[in-house]
Amino acid sequence: MTTLANSRPTLISAPLRPTVPDGVHPVAPAALMPLYQVPAGCAATYEEIADCPACVLAKTRSRTVPGSGPAPCDLMLIGEAPGQREDELGLPFVGRSGQFLDELLASIDRTRTDVYVTNVVKCRPPANRDPNPKEIAACGDYLDRQIALVAPRVIATLGRFSMAKWFPAERISQIHGRAVQRDGRWIVPMYHPAAALRDGSLRAVIKQDFAQLPSLLAGTV
Ligand code: URA
């Protein structure tokens, strides 16, 4: 199956967003092009992120990965941190976990162009180590601004780092899939798609948790 995450690369001729200070744009698959569009209200925040010097990750990143998708948007997904492919392309979830994420979105009749996707930290931690509290705090204001701009009805947190923003003392194995209302919107903690790549039995669990998103989005819950 051709998905946004695995389609073939072509050269992008013009920079569509300031992912690097010198304006050089990465080589990205043509199917990913729509994801480079910057929602009007997000331009200033994306530019600030592109030059962000606030933590040590600025020294090792190739590109910042602010987020993708429209704003406002009813559904927002928040992952952990960019990996290698994301750091190359400046887009979230375009590696192996992204392929599974595409599948999950398809299962609820959505595509990457109609959800807003971002991460707790906007730069890749070296060797994909966990982001540390200083790095998460350095990006905290960006995430808060994105939530305000996107104004989602539902936020799905993917993995324990984004879950900890709302549920710092909980365990993901205990609360995944349980939607909770905070500040007038639903927060739904979910396993990270990469967890399902490590443990295949979690694929069905994540799919089941995703399956409740349409009713939350429709306001029928
Ligand atoms: N994992 C994440 O949490 N975010 C990405 O963007 C890619 C992989």
PDB file of all heavy atoms in Angstrom, residues 32-51:
ATOM      1  N   LEU A  32       4.319  13.897   0.400  1.00  0.00           N
ATOM      2  CA  LEU A  32       4.391  14.616   1.683  1.00  0.00           C
ATOM      3  C   LEU A  32       4.248  16.130   1.506  1.00  0.00           C
ATOM      4  O   LEU A  32       4.088  16.853   2.487  1.00  0.00           O
ATOM      5  CB  LEU A  32       5.711  14.327   2.389  1.00  0.00           C
ATOM      6  CG  LEU A  32       5.945  12.884   2.841  1.00  0.00           C
ATOM      7  CD1 LEU A  32       7.311  12.755   3.508  1.00  0.00           C
ATOM      8  CD2 LEU A  32       4.857  12.433   3.813  1.00  0.00           C
ATOM      9  N   MET A  33       4.312  16.588   0.260  1.00  0.00           N
ATOM     10  CA  MET A  33       4.302  18.034   0.014  1.00  0.00           C
ATOM     11  C   MET A  33       3.191  18.785   0.743  1.00  0.00           C
ATOM     12  O   MET A  33       3.448  19.839   1.330  1.00  0.00           O
ATOM     13  CB  MET A  33       4.192  18.304  -1.487  1.00  0.00           C
ATOM     14  CG  MET A  33       5.443  17.959  -2.248  1.00  0.00           C
ATOM     15  SD  MET A  33       6.722  19.191  -1.988  1.00  0.00           S
ATOM     16  CE  MET A  33       6.070  20.527  -2.968  1.00  0.00           C
ATOM     17  N   PRO A  34       1.943  18.272   0.730  1.00  0.00           N
ATOM     18  CA  PRO A  34       0.880  19.041   1.399  1.00  0.00           C
ATOM     19  C   PRO A  34       1.166  19.266   2.886  1.00  0.00           C
ATOM     20  O   PRO A  34       0.694  20.244   3.467  1.00  0.00           O
ATOM     21  CB  PRO A  34      -0.366  18.173   1.224  1.00  0.00           C
ATOM     22  CG  PRO A  34      -0.044  17.264   0.084  1.00  0.00           C
ATOM     23  CD  PRO A  34       1.441  17.069   0.090  1.00  0.00           C
ATOM     24  N   LEU A  35       1.947  18.371   3.467  1.00  0.00           N
ATOM     25  CA  LEU A  35       2.202  18.484   4.910  1.00  0.00           C
ATOM     26  C   LEU A  35       3.171  19.624   5.237  1.00  0.00           C
ATOM     27  O   LEU A  35       3.325  19.993   6.394  1.00  0.00           O
ATOM     28  CB  LEU A  35       2.736  17.162   5.469  1.00  0.00           C
ATOM     29  CG  LEU A  35       1.823  15.956   5.309  1.00  0.00           C
ATOM     30  CD1 LEU A  35       2.392  14.753   6.035  1.00  0.00           C
ATOM     31  CD2 LEU A  35       0.420  16.267   5.837  1.00  0.00           C
ATOM     32  N   TYR A  36       3.845  20.156   4.218  1.00  0.00           N
ATOM     33  CA  TYR A  36       4.745  21.286   4.465  1.00  0.00           C
ATOM     34  C   TYR A  36       3.993  22.606   4.545  1.00  0.00           C
ATOM     35  O   TYR A  36       4.579  23.625   4.869  1.00  0.00           O
ATOM     36  CB  TYR A  36       5.812  21.380   3.371  1.00  0.00           C
ATOM     37  CG  TYR A  36       6.917  20.360   3.515  1.00  0.00           C
ATOM     38  CD1 TYR A  36       6.938  19.223   2.744  1.00  0.00           C
ATOM     39  CD2 TYR A  36       7.924  20.543   4.454  1.00  0.00           C
ATOM     40  CE1 TYR A  36       7.951  18.283   2.879  1.00  0.00           C
ATOM     41  CE2 TYR A  36       8.942  19.615   4.604  1.00  0.00           C
ATOM     42  CZ  TYR A  36       8.949  18.476   3.810  1.00  0.00           C
ATOM     43  OH  TYR A  36       9.936  17.556   3.961  1.00  0.00           O
ATOM     44  N   GLN A  37       2.708  22.579   4.223  1.00  0.00           N
ATOM     45  CA  GLN A  37       1.982  23.850   4.277  1.00  0.00           C
ATOM     46  C   GLN A  37       1.867  24.347   5.720  1.00  0.00           C
ATOM     47  O   GLN A  37       1.585  23.562   6.626  1.00  0.00           O
ATOM     48  CB  GLN A  37       0.602  23.691   3.658  1.00  0.00           C
ATOM     49  CG  GLN A  37       0.704  23.782   2.149  1.00  0.00           C
ATOM     50  CD  GLN A  37      -0.575  23.439   1.450  1.00  0.00           C
ATOM     51  OE1 GLN A  37      -1.631  23.390   2.074  1.00  0.00           O
ATOM     52  NE2 GLN A  37      -0.472  23.194   0.173  1.00  0.00           N
ATOM     53  N   VAL A  38       2.108  25.621   5.874  1.00  0.00           N
ATOM     54  CA  VAL A  38       2.054  26.221   7.207  1.00  0.00           C
ATOM     55  C   VAL A  38       0.702  26.923   7.362  1.00  0.00           C
ATOM     56  O   VAL A  38       0.403  27.835   6.604  1.00  0.00           O
ATOM     57  CB  VAL A  38       3.195  27.244   7.385  1.00  0.00           C
ATOM     58  CG1 VAL A  38       3.123  27.890   8.759  1.00  0.00           C
ATOM     59  CG2 VAL A  38       4.547  26.586   7.164  1.00  0.00           C
ATOM     60  N   PRO A  39      -0.104  26.497   8.343  1.00  0.00           N
ATOM     61  CA  PRO A  39      -1.372  27.204   8.554  1.00  0.00           C
ATOM     62  C   PRO A  39      -1.084  28.667   8.885  1.00  0.00           C
ATOM     63  O   PRO A  39      -0.119  28.963   9.612  1.00  0.00           O
ATOM     64  CB  PRO A  39      -1.986  26.494   9.768  1.00  0.00           C
ATOM     65  CG  PRO A  39      -1.235  25.209   9.917  1.00  0.00           C
ATOM     66  CD  PRO A  39       0.119  25.419   9.307  1.00  0.00           C
ATOM     67  N   ALA A  40      -1.914  29.564   8.346  1.00  0.00           N
ATOM     68  CA  ALA A  40      -1.635  30.998   8.468  1.00  0.00           C
ATOM     69  C   ALA A  40      -1.304  31.419   9.905  1.00  0.00           C
ATOM     70  O   ALA A  40      -0.305  32.076  10.163  1.00  0.00           O
ATOM     71  CB  ALA A  40      -2.821  31.787   7.941  1.00  0.00           C
ATOM     72  N   GLY A  41      -2.110  30.976  10.832  1.00  0.00           N
ATOM     73  CA  GLY A  41      -1.910  31.415  12.217  1.00  0.00           C
ATOM     74  C   GLY A  41      -0.654  30.848  12.857  1.00  0.00           C
ATOM     75  O   GLY A  41      -0.215  31.325  13.908  1.00  0.00           O
ATOM     76  N   CYS A  42      -0.056  29.834  12.247  1.00  0.00           N
ATOM     77  CA  CYS A  42       1.104  29.165  12.864  1.00  0.00           C
ATOM     78  C   CYS A  42       2.442  29.693  12.366  1.00  0.00           C
ATOM     79  O   CYS A  42       3.494  29.275  12.865  1.00  0.00           O
ATOM     80  CB  CYS A  42       1.066  27.657  12.580  1.00  0.00           C
ATOM     81  SG  CYS A  42      -0.297  26.798  13.369  1.00  0.00           S
ATOM     82  N   ALA A  43       2.424  30.603  11.366  1.00  0.00           N
ATOM     83  CA  ALA A  43       3.680  30.995  10.722  1.00  0.00           C
ATOM     84  C   ALA A  43       4.713  31.528  11.724  1.00  0.00           C
ATOM     85  O   ALA A  43       5.877  31.115  11.710  1.00  0.00           O
ATOM     86  CB  ALA A  43       3.398  32.022   9.631  1.00  0.00           C
ATOM     87  N   ALA A  44       4.283  32.419  12.605  1.00  0.00           N
ATOM     88  CA  ALA A  44       5.242  33.036  13.530  1.00  0.00           C
ATOM     89  C   ALA A  44       5.829  31.978  14.469  1.00  0.00           C
ATOM     90  O   ALA A  44       7.047  31.956  14.734  1.00  0.00           O
ATOM     91  CB  ALA A  44       4.554  34.138  14.322  1.00  0.00           C
ATOM     92  N   THR A  45       4.987  31.084  14.948  1.00  0.00           N
ATOM     93  CA  THR A  45       5.469  30.041  15.870  1.00  0.00           C
ATOM     94  C   THR A  45       6.439  29.098  15.149  1.00  0.00           C
ATOM     95  O   THR A  45       7.486  28.733  15.692  1.00  0.00           O
ATOM     96  CB  THR A  45       4.264  29.249  16.434  1.00  0.00           C
ATOM     97  OG1 THR A  45       3.395  30.168  17.070  1.00  0.00           O
ATOM     98  CG2 THR A  45       4.704  28.196  17.425  1.00  0.00           C
ATOM     99  N   TYR A  46       6.120  28.720  13.912  1.00  0.00           N
ATOM    100  CA  TYR A  46       7.009  27.818  13.159  1.00  0.00           C
ATOM    101  C   TYR A  46       8.365  28.480  12.895  1.00  0.00           C
ATOM    102  O   TYR A  46       9.400  27.830  12.960  1.00  0.00           O
ATOM    103  CB  TYR A  46       6.370  27.417  11.825  1.00  0.00           C
ATOM    104  CG  TYR A  46       5.305  26.335  11.917  1.00  0.00           C
ATOM    105  CD1 TYR A  46       4.604  26.103  13.091  1.00  0.00           C
ATOM    106  CD2 TYR A  46       4.997  25.548  10.823  1.00  0.00           C
ATOM    107  CE1 TYR A  46       3.624  25.128  13.163  1.00  0.00           C
ATOM    108  CE2 TYR A  46       4.015  24.551  10.877  1.00  0.00           C
ATOM    109  CZ  TYR A  46       3.321  24.364  12.056  1.00  0.00           C
ATOM    110  OH  TYR A  46       2.359  23.390  12.118  1.00  0.00           O
ATOM    111  N   GLU A  47       8.329  29.780  12.608  1.00  0.00           N
ATOM    112  CA  GLU A  47       9.595  30.485  12.358  1.00  0.00           C
ATOM    113  C   GLU A  47      10.434  30.535  13.623  1.00  0.00           C
ATOM    114  O   GLU A  47      11.643  30.347  13.588  1.00  0.00           O
ATOM    115  CB  GLU A  47       9.334  31.901  11.849  1.00  0.00           C
ATOM    116  CG  GLU A  47       9.205  31.924  10.340  1.00  0.00           C
ATOM    117  CD  GLU A  47       8.774  33.272   9.801  1.00  0.00           C
ATOM    118  OE1 GLU A  47       9.304  34.298  10.269  1.00  0.00           O
ATOM    119  OE2 GLU A  47       7.902  33.279   8.912  1.00  0.00           O
ATOM    120  N   GLU A  48       9.779  30.756  14.729  1.00  0.00           N
ATOM    121  CA  GLU A  48      10.505  30.798  16.002  1.00  0.00           C
ATOM    122  C   GLU A  48      11.116  29.430  16.316  1.00  0.00           C
ATOM    123  O   GLU A  48      12.268  29.318  16.734  1.00  0.00           O
ATOM    124  CB  GLU A  48       9.521  31.184  17.099  1.00  0.00           C
ATOM    125  CG  GLU A  48      10.083  32.151  18.097  1.00  0.00           C
ATOM    126  CD  GLU A  48       9.033  32.496  19.139  1.00  0.00           C
ATOM    127  OE1 GLU A  48       8.023  33.139  18.798  1.00  0.00           O
ATOM    128  OE2 GLU A  48       9.229  32.084  20.284  1.00  0.00           O
ATOM    129  N   ILE A  49      10.327  28.394  16.080  1.00  0.00           N
ATOM    130  CA  ILE A  49      10.838  27.039  16.327  1.00  0.00           C
ATOM    131  C   ILE A  49      12.048  26.763  15.429  1.00  0.00           C
ATOM    132  O   ILE A  49      13.044  26.178  15.864  1.00  0.00           O
ATOM    133  CB  ILE A  49       9.717  25.988  16.090  1.00  0.00           C
ATOM    134  CG1 ILE A  49       8.636  26.108  17.170  1.00  0.00           C
ATOM    135  CG2 ILE A  49      10.295  24.571  16.054  1.00  0.00           C
ATOM    136  CD1 ILE A  49       7.383  25.254  16.921  1.00  0.00           C
ATOM    137  N   ALA A  50      11.980  27.210  14.167  1.00  0.00           N
ATOM    138  CA  ALA A  50      13.050  26.915  13.204  1.00  0.00           C
ATOM    139  C   ALA A  50      14.409  27.424  13.674  1.00  0.00           C
ATOM    140  O   ALA A  50      15.438  26.829  13.368  1.00  0.00           O
ATOM    141  CB  ALA A  50      12.703  27.512  11.847  1.00  0.00           C
ATOM    142  N   ASP A  51      14.416  28.514  14.429  1.00  0.00           N
ATOM    143  CA  ASP A  51      15.680  29.093  14.908  1.00  0.00           C
ATOM    144  C   ASP A  51      15.902  28.846  16.392  1.00  0.00           C
ATOM    145  O   ASP A  51      16.771  29.467  16.992  1.00  0.00           O
ATOM    146  CB  ASP A  51      15.667  30.622  14.696  1.00  0.00           C
ATOM    147  CG  ASP A  51      15.789  30.977  13.233  1.00  0.00           C
ATOM    148  OD1 ASP A  51      16.380  30.176  12.493  1.00  0.00           O
ATOM    149  OD2 ASP A  51      15.267  32.040  12.836  1.00  0.00           O
TER     150      ASP A  51
END
